[in-house]
Amino acid sequence: MAQKVIRIGTRDSELALWQAHTVEKMLNDLGYETKIVAVKSTGDIILDKPLYELGITGIFTKTLDIAMINGDVDIAVHSMKDVPTALPKGIVQAAVLERANVLDILVHKGNPDFTDKPSTIATGSLRRQAQWFNKYPNHTVVDLRGNVNTRMQKLQDNNWDGAVFAAAGLERINLKPENYINLDWMIPAPAQGAMMVVAMENDNYTLDALSQLNHIETEICTYIERQFLRTLEGGCTAPIGALVTYNEDEDTLHFQGVLLSVDGKQKLEIDKTVEIGEWKKLGFFAAQEILNNGGTELMQTIKDSLKK
């Protein structure tokens, strides 16, 4: 088959470009020709509204989806946690890259002891906000939007005590400062730390190229986490966290999932270890367990509160 240049669509933020160039290098190393095409996304433009108020799940992926459907680009690279669990018609998950750091971290101003007194923390994520309130009910949480660089700058420009970030994003573009705390008690977003590459389902040449980049362990773990999210109907709006880790020695999967009320006062958790053979329905069954233990009512309350 004739060699074609694989056009990689990307947002023009530093992190998005890093992700696109990473995939570009991997494809180039396999002998494929590539070209980077930058596309501006609505999520980068509307910075004054929290993500969930925009009423869109996958706001950062939408513009690239349209560019792909229009035939302007062949593939897009996303932080997997930003990708809606239902992909647009015609677009498929073509590869999941090996996962990086899954943790959330708190970047502070040099004084890590503020967690014991009333403090102000910044995050644009409902999941992080709810888990923070659950642990520190006397704190104030303020909204923080924009790409990683913008959010780091806003933290410096405001008198907040700290802000929550995904460790992987800061590490990828060497922005992780010395003043940080690993929030190992906070359950990350489903698929946090992983990158997903999407392509058109009828583009066999590109799909074949990308299949060589797929990391099977990461694919399985993130599949379970996103199945949990999808079954709870989270989209990007409900405070839902999930993390699956694979234990190679025992061939088991460890699943941690959480659903919280927006104010953090209610928290439904699940923590279980299963044989690897049970992976296909693990996220679904874990979500059902949460829904049967009060999650159905809690999800309704969350939806109602976000409509106001």
Side-chain angles (χ1 to χ4, degrees), residues 175-245:
L175 263 187
K176 191 171 169 186
E178 287 178 15
N179 299 332
Y180 76 89
I181 304 166
N182 279 326
L183 303 177
D184 48 14
W185 52 267
M186 186 176 276
I187 306 286
Q192 185 158 306
M195 283 157 51
M196 181 203 281
V197 191
V198 291
M200 298 303 290
E201 67 180 345
N202 57 2
D203 185 353
N204 293 329
Y205 179 83
T206 303
L207 292 174
D208 181 58
L210 292 173
S211 68
Q212 300 169 68
L213 309 185
N214 194 56
H215 186 256
I216 189 71
E217 181 187 316
T218 303
E219 182 191 6
I220 288 174
C221 290
T222 53
Y223 174 88
I224 297 164
E225 293 161 16
R226 284 164 63 78
Q227 188 182 59
F228 176 77
L229 174 67
R230 186 170 64 245
T231 310
L232 288 177
E233 295 186 321
C236 285
T237 52
I240 293 170
L243 179 63
V244 179
T245 42

Coordinates of all heavy atoms in Angstrom, one line a residue, residues 175-245:
L175 N 7.4 20.9 34.4 CA 6.9 22.1 35.1 C 6.7 21.7 36.6 O 6.3 22.5 37.4 CB 5.5 22.5 34.6 CG 5.5 23.7 33.6 CD1 4.1 24.1 33.3 CD2 6.3 24.9 34.1
K176 N 7.0 20.5 37.0 CA 6.7 20.1 38.4 C 7.7 20.8 39.3 O 8.9 20.6 39.2 CB 6.9 18.5 38.5 CG 6.4 17.9 39.8 CD 6.4 16.4 39.6 CE 6.1 15.7 40.9 NZ 6.3 14.3 40.8
P177 N 7.2 21.6 40.2 CA 8.1 22.4 41.1 C 8.6 21.5 42.3 O 8.2 20.4 42.4 CB 7.2 23.5 41.5 CG 5.8 22.9 41.6 CD 5.8 21.8 40.5
E178 N 9.4 22.1 43.1 CA 9.9 21.4 44.3 C 8.8 21.4 45.4 O 8.7 20.5 46.2 CB 11.2 22.1 44.8 CG 12.4 21.9 44.0 CD 13.6 22.6 44.5 OE1 13.6 23.0 45.7 OE2 14.6 22.7 43.7
N179 N 8.0 22.5 45.3 CA 6.9 22.6 46.4 C 5.7 21.8 46.0 O 4.7 22.4 45.5 CB 6.6 24.1 46.6 CG 7.7 24.9 47.0 OD1 8.7 24.4 47.6 ND2 7.7 26.2 46.7
Y180 N 5.7 20.5 46.3 CA 4.5 19.8 46.0 C 4.3 18.6 47.0 O 5.3 18.2 47.6 CB 4.5 19.2 44.6 CG 5.4 18.0 44.4 CD1 4.9 16.7 44.6 CD2 6.7 18.2 44.0 CE1 5.7 15.6 44.4 CE2 7.5 17.1 43.8 CZ 7.0 15.8 44.0 OH 7.8 14.7 43.9
I181 N 3.1 18.2 47.1 CA 2.8 17.0 48.0 C 2.0 16.0 47.1 O 1.1 16.4 46.4 CB 1.8 17.4 49.2 CG1 2.5 18.6 50.0 CG2 1.5 16.2 50.1 CD1 1.5 19.2 50.9
N182 N 2.4 14.7 47.2 CA 1.7 13.7 46.5 C 0.4 13.4 47.2 O 0.4 13.1 48.4 CB 2.5 12.4 46.5 CG 3.5 12.3 45.4 OD1 3.3 12.9 44.3 ND2 4.7 11.7 45.6
L183 N -0.7 13.5 46.5 CA -2.0 13.3 47.2 C -2.4 11.8 46.9 O -3.3 11.5 46.2 CB -3.1 14.2 46.6 CG -2.8 15.7 46.7 CD1 -3.9 16.5 46.0 CD2 -2.6 16.1 48.1
D184 N -1.7 10.9 47.7 CA -1.9 9.5 47.4 C -3.2 9.0 48.0 O -3.7 7.9 47.8 CB -0.7 8.7 48.0 CG -0.3 9.1 49.4 OD1 -1.1 9.8 50.0 OD2 0.8 8.7 49.8
W185 N -3.9 9.9 48.8 CA -5.3 9.5 49.3 C -6.4 9.9 48.3 O -7.5 9.5 48.5 CB -5.5 10.3 50.6 CG -5.3 11.8 50.6 CD1 -4.1 12.4 50.8 CD2 -6.2 12.8 50.1 NE1 -4.2 13.8 50.6 CE2 -5.5 14.0 50.2 CE3 -7.5 12.8 49.7 CZ2 -6.1 15.2 49.9 CZ3 -8.1 13.9 49.4 CH2 -7.5 15.2 49.5
M186 N -6.0 10.7 47.3 CA -7.0 11.1 46.3 C -7.1 10.1 45.2 O -6.1 9.8 44.5 CB -6.7 12.5 45.8 CG -7.7 13.1 44.9 SD -7.3 14.9 44.5 CE -7.9 15.8 45.9
I187 N -8.3 9.6 44.9 CA -8.5 8.6 43.8 C -8.5 9.4 42.5 O -9.2 10.4 42.4 CB -9.8 7.8 43.9 CG1 -9.9 7.1 45.3 CG2 -9.9 6.8 42.8 CD1 -9.1 5.9 45.5
P188 N -7.6 9.1 41.6 CA -7.4 9.9 40.4 C -8.7 9.8 39.4 O -9.5 8.9 39.6 CB -6.2 9.4 39.7 CG -5.9 8.0 40.3 CD -6.6 8.0 41.6
A189 N -8.7 10.6 38.4 CA -9.7 10.5 37.4 C -9.5 9.2 36.6 O -8.4 8.7 36.5 CB -9.6 11.7 36.4
P190 N -10.6 8.6 36.2 CA -10.4 7.4 35.3 C -9.5 7.7 34.2 O -9.6 8.7 33.5 CB -11.9 7.1 34.8 CG -12.7 7.7 35.9 CD -12.0 8.9 36.4
A191 N -8.5 6.8 34.0 CA -7.5 6.9 32.9 C -6.5 8.0 33.1 O -5.7 8.3 32.2 CB -8.2 7.0 31.5
Q192 N -6.4 8.6 34.3 CA -5.4 9.6 34.5 C -4.0 9.1 34.3 O -3.7 8.0 34.7 CB -5.5 10.2 35.9 CG -4.6 11.4 36.2 CD -5.1 12.2 37.4 OE1 -6.3 12.7 37.4 NE2 -4.3 12.4 38.4
G193 N -3.1 9.9 33.7 CA -1.8 9.5 33.4 C -1.6 8.7 32.1 O -0.4 8.5 31.7
A194 N -2.7 8.4 31.4 CA -2.6 7.7 30.2 C -2.9 8.6 29.0 O -3.6 9.6 29.1 CB -3.5 6.5 30.2
M195 N -2.3 8.3 27.8 CA -2.6 9.0 26.6 C -3.3 8.1 25.6 O -2.9 6.9 25.5 CB -1.3 9.5 26.0 CG -0.8 10.8 26.7 SD 1.0 11.0 26.5 CE 1.2 10.9 24.7
M196 N -4.4 8.6 25.0 CA -5.1 7.8 24.0 C -4.9 8.5 22.6 O -4.9 9.7 22.5 CB -6.6 7.8 24.3 CG -7.5 7.0 23.3 SD -9.2 7.5 23.3 CE -9.8 6.7 24.8
V197 N -4.8 7.6 21.6 CA -4.7 8.1 20.2 C -5.9 7.6 19.5 O -6.3 6.4 19.6 CB -3.4 7.6 19.5 CG1 -3.3 8.3 18.2 CG2 -2.2 7.7 20.4
V198 N -6.6 8.5 18.9 CA -7.9 8.2 18.1 C -7.7 8.4 16.6 O -6.8 9.2 16.2 CB -9.1 9.0 18.6 CG1 -9.5 8.6 20.0 CG2 -8.9 10.5 18.5
A199 N -8.4 7.6 15.8 CA -8.3 7.7 14.4 C -9.7 7.4 13.8 O -10.6 7.0 14.5 CB -7.2 6.7 13.9
M200 N -9.8 7.5 12.5 CA -11.1 7.2 11.8 C -11.2 5.6 11.7 O -10.2 5.0 11.3 CB -11.2 7.9 10.5 CG -11.2 9.4 10.6 SD -12.5 10.1 11.6 CE -14.0 9.7 10.6
E201 N -12.3 5.1 11.9 CA -12.5 3.6 11.9 C -12.2 3.0 10.5 O -11.9 1.8 10.4 CB -13.8 3.2 12.4 CG -15.0 3.6 11.6 CD -16.3 3.1 12.2 OE1 -16.3 2.3 13.1 OE2 -17.4 3.6 11.7
N202 N -12.3 3.8 9.5 CA -12.1 3.2 8.1 C -10.7 3.5 7.6 O -10.4 3.2 6.4 CB -13.2 3.8 7.1 CG -13.1 5.3 7.1 OD1 -12.3 5.9 7.8 ND2 -14.0 5.9 6.3
D203 N -9.8 4.0 8.4 CA -8.5 4.4 8.0 C -7.5 3.2 8.4 O -6.8 3.3 9.3 CB -8.1 5.7 8.6 CG -6.7 6.2 8.1 OD1 -6.0 5.4 7.4 OD2 -6.3 7.3 8.5
N204 N -7.5 2.2 7.6 CA -6.8 1.0 8.0 C -5.3 1.2 8.1 O -4.6 0.6 8.9 CB -7.1 -0.2 7.0 CG -8.5 -0.6 7.1 OD1 -9.1 -0.6 8.2 ND2 -9.1 -1.1 6.0
Y205 N -4.7 2.0 7.2 CA -3.3 2.3 7.2 C -2.9 2.9 8.5 O -1.9 2.4 9.2 CB -2.9 3.3 6.0 CG -1.5 3.6 6.0 CD1 -0.6 2.8 5.3 CD2 -1.0 4.8 6.6 CE1 0.8 3.1 5.3 CE2 0.3 5.1 6.5 CZ 1.2 4.3 5.9 OH 2.6 4.6 5.9
T206 N -3.6 3.9 9.0 CA -3.3 4.6 10.2 C -3.5 3.7 11.4 O -2.8 3.7 12.4 CB -4.1 5.9 10.3 OG1 -3.8 6.7 9.2 CG2 -3.7 6.7 11.6
L207 N -4.7 3.0 11.4 CA -5.0 2.1 12.5 C -3.9 1.0 12.7 O -3.5 0.7 13.8 CB -6.3 1.4 12.3 CG -7.6 2.3 12.3 CD1 -8.8 1.5 12.0 CD2 -7.7 2.9 13.7
D208 N -3.4 0.5 11.6 CA -2.3 -0.5 11.6 C -1.1 0.1 12.2 O -0.4 -0.6 13.1 CB -2.1 -1.0 10.2 CG -1.0 -2.1 10.2 OD1 -1.2 -3.1 10.9 OD2 0.1 -1.9 9.6
A209 N -0.7 1.3 11.8 CA 0.4 2.0 12.4 C 0.3 2.2 13.9 O 1.2 1.9 14.7 CB 0.6 3.3 11.7
L210 N -0.9 2.7 14.3 CA -1.1 3.0 15.7 C -1.2 1.7 16.6 O -0.8 1.8 17.8 CB -2.3 3.8 15.9 CG -2.3 5.2 15.3 CD1 -3.6 5.9 15.4 CD2 -1.2 6.1 16.0
S211 N -1.6 0.6 16.0 CA -1.8 -0.6 16.8 C -0.4 -1.0 17.4 O -0.4 -1.7 18.4 CB -2.4 -1.7 16.0 OG -1.5 -2.1 15.0
Q212 N 0.6 -0.6 16.7 CA 2.0 -1.0 17.2 C 2.4 -0.2 18.4 O 3.4 -0.5 19.0 CB 3.0 -0.8 16.0 CG 2.6 -1.7 14.8 CD 3.4 -1.3 13.6 OE1 4.7 -1.5 13.6 NE2 2.8 -0.8 12.6
L213 N 1.7 0.9 18.7 CA 2.0 1.7 19.9 C 1.3 1.3 21.1 O 1.5 1.8 22.2 CB 1.7 3.2 19.6 CG 2.3 3.8 18.3 CD1 2.0 5.3 18.3 CD2 3.8 3.6 18.2
N214 N 0.3 0.4 21.0 CA -0.6 0.1 22.1 C 0.1 -0.6 23.2 O 0.8 -1.6 23.0 CB -1.8 -0.7 21.5 CG -3.0 -0.8 22.5 OD1 -3.5 0.3 23.0 ND2 -3.3 -2.0 22.9
H215 N -0.2 -0.2 24.5 CA 0.3 -0.9 25.7 C -0.8 -1.6 26.3 O -1.7 -1.0 26.9 CB 0.9 0.2 26.6 CG 1.6 -0.4 27.8 ND1 1.1 -0.4 29.0 CD2 2.8 -1.0 27.9 CE1 2.0 -1.0 29.9 NE2 3.0 -1.4 29.2
I216 N -0.8 -2.9 26.2 CA -2.0 -3.7 26.6 C -2.4 -3.6 28.1 O -3.6 -3.5 28.4 CB -1.8 -5.2 26.2 CG1 -3.1 -6.0 26.4 CG2 -0.7 -5.9 26.9 CD1 -4.2 -5.7 25.4
E217 N -1.4 -3.6 29.0 CA -1.7 -3.5 30.4 C -2.5 -2.1 30.7 O -3.5 -2.1 31.4 CB -0.4 -3.5 31.2 CG -0.7 -3.5 32.7 CD 0.6 -3.4 33.5 OE1 1.6 -4.2 33.2 OE2 0.7 -2.6 34.4
T218 N -2.0 -1.1 30.1 CA -2.6 0.2 30.3 C -4.0 0.2 29.7 O -4.9 0.8 30.2 CB -1.7 1.4 29.7 OG1 -0.4 1.3 30.3 CG2 -2.4 2.7 30.0
E219 N -4.1 -0.4 28.5 CA -5.4 -0.4 27.8 C -6.4 -1.1 28.7 O -7.6 -0.6 28.8 CB -5.2 -1.2 26.5 CG -6.6 -1.2 25.7 CD -6.5 -2.2 24.5 OE1 -5.6 -2.9 24.3 OE2 -7.5 -2.2 23.8
I220 N -6.1 -2.3 29.3 CA -7.0 -3.0 30.1 C -7.4 -2.2 31.4 O -8.6 -2.1 31.7 CB -6.4 -4.4 30.5 CG1 -6.4 -5.3 29.3 CG2 -7.2 -5.0 31.7 CD1 -5.7 -6.6 29.5
C221 N -6.4 -1.6 32.1 CA -6.7 -0.9 33.3 C -7.6 0.3 33.0 O -8.5 0.6 33.8 CB -5.4 -0.5 34.0 SG -4.5 -1.9 34.7
T222 N -7.3 1.1 32.0 CA -8.1 2.3 31.7 C -9.4 1.9 31.1 O -10.4 2.6 31.4 CB -7.3 3.2 30.6 OG1 -7.0 2.4 29.5 CG2 -6.1 3.8 31.2
Y223 N -9.5 0.8 30.4 CA -10.8 0.3 30.0 C -11.8 0.1 31.2 O -12.9 0.5 31.2 CB -10.7 -1.0 29.2 CG -12.0 -1.7 28.8 CD1 -12.6 -1.3 27.6 CD2 -12.6 -2.6 29.6 CE1 -13.8 -1.9 27.2 CE2 -13.8 -3.2 29.2 CZ -14.4 -2.9 28.0 OH -15.6 -3.4 27.7
I224 N -11.3 -0.6 32.2 CA -12.1 -0.9 33.4 C -12.5 0.4 34.1 O -13.7 0.6 34.5 CB -11.3 -1.8 34.4 CG1 -10.9 -3.1 33.7 CG2 -12.0 -2.0 35.7 CD1 -9.8 -3.9 34.5
E225 N -11.6 1.3 34.2 CA -11.9 2.6 34.9 C -12.9 3.4 34.1 O -13.8 4.0 34.7 CB -10.6 3.5 35.0 CG -9.5 2.9 36.0 CD -8.2 3.4 35.7 OE1 -8.0 4.5 35.1 OE2 -7.2 2.8 36.2
R226 N -12.8 3.4 32.8 CA -13.8 4.2 32.0 C -15.1 3.4 31.9 O -16.1 4.1 31.8 CB -13.2 4.4 30.6 CG -12.1 5.5 30.6 CD -11.3 5.5 29.3 NE -12.0 5.8 28.1 CZ -12.4 7.0 27.7 NH1 -12.1 8.0 28.5 NH2 -13.0 7.1 26.6
Q227 N -15.1 2.1 32.0 CA -16.4 1.4 32.1 C -17.1 1.7 33.4 O -18.3 1.9 33.4 CB -16.1 -0.1 32.0 CG -17.3 -1.0 31.9 CD -16.9 -2.5 31.9 OE1 -16.3 -3.0 32.9 NE2 -17.3 -3.2 30.8
F228 N -16.4 1.8 34.5 CA -16.9 2.3 35.8 C -17.6 3.6 35.6 O -18.7 3.9 36.0 CB -15.8 2.3 36.8 CG -16.2 2.7 38.2 CD1 -16.9 2.0 39.1 CD2 -15.7 4.0 38.6 CE1 -17.2 2.4 40.3 CE2 -16.1 4.5 39.9 CZ -16.8 3.7 40.7
L229 N -16.8 4.6 35.0 CA -17.3 5.9 34.8 C -18.5 5.9 33.9 O -19.5 6.6 34.3 CB -16.2 6.8 34.1 CG -16.5 8.2 33.7 CD1 -16.8 9.1 34.9 CD2 -15.4 8.8 32.9
R230 N -18.5 5.2 32.8 CA -19.6 5.2 31.9 C -20.9 4.6 32.6 O -22.0 5.1 32.4 CB -19.3 4.4 30.7 CG -20.3 4.4 29.6 CD -19.8 3.8 28.3 NE -19.5 2.4 28.4 CZ -18.3 1.9 28.2 NH1 -17.3 2.7 28.0 NH2 -18.1 0.6 28.3
T231 N -20.7 3.6 33.4 CA -21.9 2.9 34.0 C -22.5 3.8 35.1 O -23.7 3.8 35.2 CB -21.4 1.6 34.6 OG1 -20.7 0.8 33.7 CG2 -22.6 0.8 35.1
L232 N -21.7 4.6 35.7 CA -22.2 5.6 36.7 C -22.7 6.8 36.0 O -23.3 7.7 36.6 CB -21.1 6.1 37.6 CG -20.6 5.1 38.7 CD1 -19.5 5.6 39.5 CD2 -21.7 4.6 39.6
E233 N -22.5 6.9 34.6 CA -23.0 8.1 33.8 C -22.3 9.4 34.3 O -22.9 10.4 34.4 CB -24.5 8.3 33.9 CG -25.2 7.1 33.3 CD -26.7 7.3 33.3 OE1 -27.3 7.9 34.2 OE2 -27.4 7.0 32.3
G234 N -21.0 9.3 34.4 CA -20.3 10.4 34.9 C -20.0 11.5 33.9 O -20.0 12.7 34.2
G235 N -19.7 11.0 32.6 CA -19.2 12.0 31.7 C -18.0 12.7 32.3 O -17.2 12.0 33.0
C236 N -17.9 14.0 32.2 CA -16.8 14.7 32.9 C -17.4 15.5 34.1 O -16.7 16.4 34.6 CB -16.1 15.6 32.0 SG -15.0 14.8 30.8
T237 N -18.6 15.3 34.5 CA -19.2 16.2 35.4 C -19.4 15.8 36.8 O -19.4 16.6 37.7 CB -20.6 16.7 34.9 OG1 -21.4 15.5 34.6 CG2 -20.5 17.5 33.6
A238 N -19.5 14.5 37.1 CA -19.7 14.0 38.5 C -18.4 13.7 39.1 O -17.4 13.4 38.5 CB -20.6 12.7 38.5
P239 N -18.3 13.9 40.5 CA -17.1 13.6 41.2 C -16.8 12.1 41.3 O -17.2 11.5 42.2 CB -17.3 14.2 42.6 CG -18.5 15.1 42.4 CD -19.3 14.5 41.3
I240 N -16.2 11.6 40.3 CA -15.9 10.1 40.2 C -14.4 9.9 40.0 O -13.8 10.5 39.2 CB -16.7 9.5 39.0 CG1 -18.2 9.6 39.2 CG2 -16.3 8.1 38.7 CD1 -19.0 9.2 38.0
G241 N -13.9 9.0 40.8 CA -12.5 8.6 40.7 C -12.4 7.1 40.5 O -13.3 6.3 41.0
A242 N -11.4 6.6 39.8 CA -11.2 5.2 39.6 C -9.7 4.9 39.3 O -9.1 5.7 38.5 CB -12.1 4.6 38.5
L243 N -9.2 3.8 39.9 CA -7.8 3.4 39.6 C -7.7 1.9 39.6 O -8.1 1.3 40.6 CB -6.9 4.1 40.6 CG -5.4 3.7 40.4 CD1 -4.9 4.2 39.1 CD2 -4.5 4.3 41.5
V244 N -7.2 1.4 38.6 CA -6.9 -0.1 38.5 C -5.4 -0.3 38.4 O -4.8 0.3 37.5 CB -7.7 -0.7 37.3 CG1 -7.3 -2.2 37.3 CG2 -9.2 -0.5 37.4
T245 N -4.9 -1.2 39.2 CA -3.5 -1.5 39.1 C -3.3 -3.0 38.9 O -4.1 -3.8 39.5 CB -2.7 -1.1 40.3 OG1 -3.4 -1.4 41.5 CG2 -2.4 0.4 40.3

